[in-house]
Amino acid sequence: MDGGGRIAIGALSKHTGTNIETVRYYERVGLLPAPARSSGGYRLYGTDHLKRLNFIRRARALGFSLAEVQKLLTLADQRRRPCADVRIVAAAHLQDVKAKIADLRQMQRVLKDTVARCEAGTGSHCPMIDALYTDAEAAARRPATVRR
Amino acid sequence: MDGGGRIAIGALSKHTGTNIETVRYYERVGLLPAPARSSGGYRLYGTDHLKRLNFIRRARALGFSLAEVQKLLTLADQRRRPCADVRIVAAAHLQDVKAKIADLRQMQRVLKDTVARCEAGTGSHCPMIDALYTDAEAAARRPATVRR
DNA sequence: CCTTGAGTCTGGAGTTACTACAGACTCTAC
DNA sequence: GTAGAGTCTGTAGTAACTCCAGACTCAAGG
C-alpha cells in the first residue's frame, strides 16, 4: 500500500483534471512529493500521489489557498487527532468566504442600481460615470476583501 | 480649471487613501497621466489628477479590473454619449460579480456542512480531511471562477 | 548658511497560483 | 530504426500591487 501505480505525468494530469505544468509546480513548491523517475528521467507517480493531488485539487476548489492546503496536508499526515486544528483552518476560511460574499453583494447592489439608472437615464451625461467621479457614498467606502 | 493644486504625492496619497507606490504604479501603467515635476524632480499633482485617481479607486472598489477602469476612463474622457458603452462594461462586470457570488455560496455551503460535521464528530478521523480525500461529490466539481 | 529629518526619487525584486513557451530528450509502436 | 507523442528543464509572463535600498530634495530651525 505504498502506491506503485507507476503512471506518467500526463496520465496523472488526466486522472485529476490538473494541468501538467501545475503538477510540476506543486512539486516545486513542496505540496506534492517528488516522485520516482524512469531511467530516462520521466516522473512516475503512484496511487499515493494521485490521492494527494486529488486532496489538493478539492481543497483548492473550496477556495483554500496553497498555504492553507499545505497546513491541511500536514495535519492530515499526522494521524493523532488533527480534527480540532483542521476545524480552525476551515472555520477561518469559512469566515473569509463569508466576508467576500458580503463584499461582492455590496458591489452587486451598487452596480445594479447604477446600471439601472443608466438604462433609465435619457440625459446627456452617464449616471455610471457620474457616480464614479462624484459619489463617495456608494463605493470607495469599504476596503473590499475581494481581489480579482 | 486645468487643475493647479500643486500637491506632492504624499498629499495625493492621503487625500485618496491610495498607497504612494500604487499612485506611481498607476502612472507607470498609463492610468494616471504623468504630472508636472518640481525643479528637484518631485511629482506635483493638480485637482484633475485627484479626480481621476478617485475615479480609479471607486471603480476598483466596485471590483472593476484595471483594464475595465481604463475602458471606463476612456469612455468618460470622450464627451459624446458613452453611456451605452459604459453600461455594457458595467453589465458585464455585474454578471461576473454574480457568478462569483454563486461560486462562493457553493463553497460556503460545503464548508459549513463539513465544519459542522467536524464539530459533531467524536470519532478518531476528521470528516474534513475525509471529505478532501474521498469526496468527489462536494468539491472539485465546478471550475470555480473565484480565485484567491 | 548649514543641518536635520521627513519626504520623494528610481529601479528592481517579491507576492499568488499558476500558465506558456523553447529546445532538447525519451518512450512506444510499427 | 524511425516517427510521433510525451516529457524534461529553465525561464518568463500574468494581475495588481507592495516593498526595498540607496540616493536625492525640501522646508524649517538655529
Side-chain angles (χ1 to χ4, degrees), chain B residues 8-11 14 20-21 24 28 37 41-43 148:
Chain B
I9 199 169
K14 236 158 239 160
I20 288 182
E21 323 269 7
R24 287 197 282 248
R28 204 162 61 247
R37 298 286 185 127
Y42 279 28
R43 288 172 179 81
R148 297 161 46 94

Side-chain angles (χ1 to χ4, degrees), chain B residues 3 42 52 67 99 104 108 130 142:
Chain B
Y42 279 28
R52 203 178 176 85
L104 283 171
Q108 187 186 26
D130 277 13
R142 42 178 49 235

Side-chain angles (χ1 to χ4, degrees), chain B residues 9-31:
Chain B
I9 199 169
L12 184 73
S13 161
K14 236 158 239 160
H15 278 307
T16 58
T18 312
N19 200 326
I20 288 182
E21 323 269 7
T22 306
V23 176
R24 287 197 282 248
Y25 171 74
Y26 286 160
E27 178 182 330
R28 204 162 61 247
V29 299
L31 274 182

